[in-house]
Amino acid sequence: MHQLLSSTIEKIRKASHMHELLDKADLKVCFICEEEQWLVHFQGRNVHIESKLDSVGDVVIEGSLEAFRLLLNGDDFLLSMKKRGELGISGNLKDLLLLESILYLSKGSTKTSL
């Protein structure tokens, strides 16, 4: 799980088109997968990850490693996965939409333009 989160964060940091969105961000997201719990803090362009066992973020997401792989690789959408019951998600709508935007727009950074 840590490797998956780390590669996603690195992709987000390197995407120059994300800077304007990240500049306004102040969001803590707790990812819970089996026995692992990680907190990702989006604070402006400073995005970092830390292991947490007792901390709660603005958004809390629980699910399987495969569900997180689909989400973080940009193969599925946060709110769609919540609706289908593939992820357990809590947080206010504004924070969920911000996270959905960050994840979706970071996916575009891996594609090349023609």
Side-chain angles (χ1 to χ4, degrees):
M1 182 67 187
H2 183 265
Q3 180 60 37
L4 180 60
L5 285 170
S6 295
S7 64
T8 300
I9 290 169
E10 195 58 34
K11 182 173 49 170
I12 291 168
R13 283 183 185 144
K14 289 181 178 180
S16 60
H17 67 278
M18 298 289 293
H19 292 171
E20 188 174 338
L21 180 62
L22 289 175
D23 283 342
K24 300 172 186 169
D26 186 13
L27 178 67
K28 292 180 182 176
V29 182
C30 183
F31 292 89
I32 302 171
C33 180
E34 299 166 5
E35 298 298 316
E36 293 183 70
Q37 186 169 332
W38 298 94
L39 187 70
V40 177
H41 191 186
F42 297 91
Q43 190 173 31
R45 292 186 196 175
N46 182 19
V47 182
H48 61 278
I49 181 175
E50 52 190 89
S51 175
K52 289 289 182 186
L53 297 176
D54 58 356
S55 182
V56 177
D58 302 311
V59 174
V60 178
I61 306 172
E62 291 186 64
S64 68
L65 185 59
E66 184 56 33
F68 281 119
R69 188 170 285 123
L70 290 171
L71 175 68
L72 297 173
N73 287 334
D75 297 324
D76 211 337
F77 295 98
L78 180 69
L79 297 176
S80 297
M81 294 179 81
K82 176 185 179 183
K83 186 176 180 179
R84 292 190 305 266
E86 296 169 5
L87 291 173
I89 301 171
S90 65
N92 68 47
L93 185 58
K94 178 183 171 190
D95 292 337
L96 294 176
L97 291 173
L98 175 59
L99 180 60
E100 179 100 88
S101 299
I102 290 169
L103 295 174
Y104 180 76
L105 292 172
S106 69
K107 176 185 175 185
S109 67
T110 60
K111 296 182 179 180
T112 57
S113 325
L114 297 177

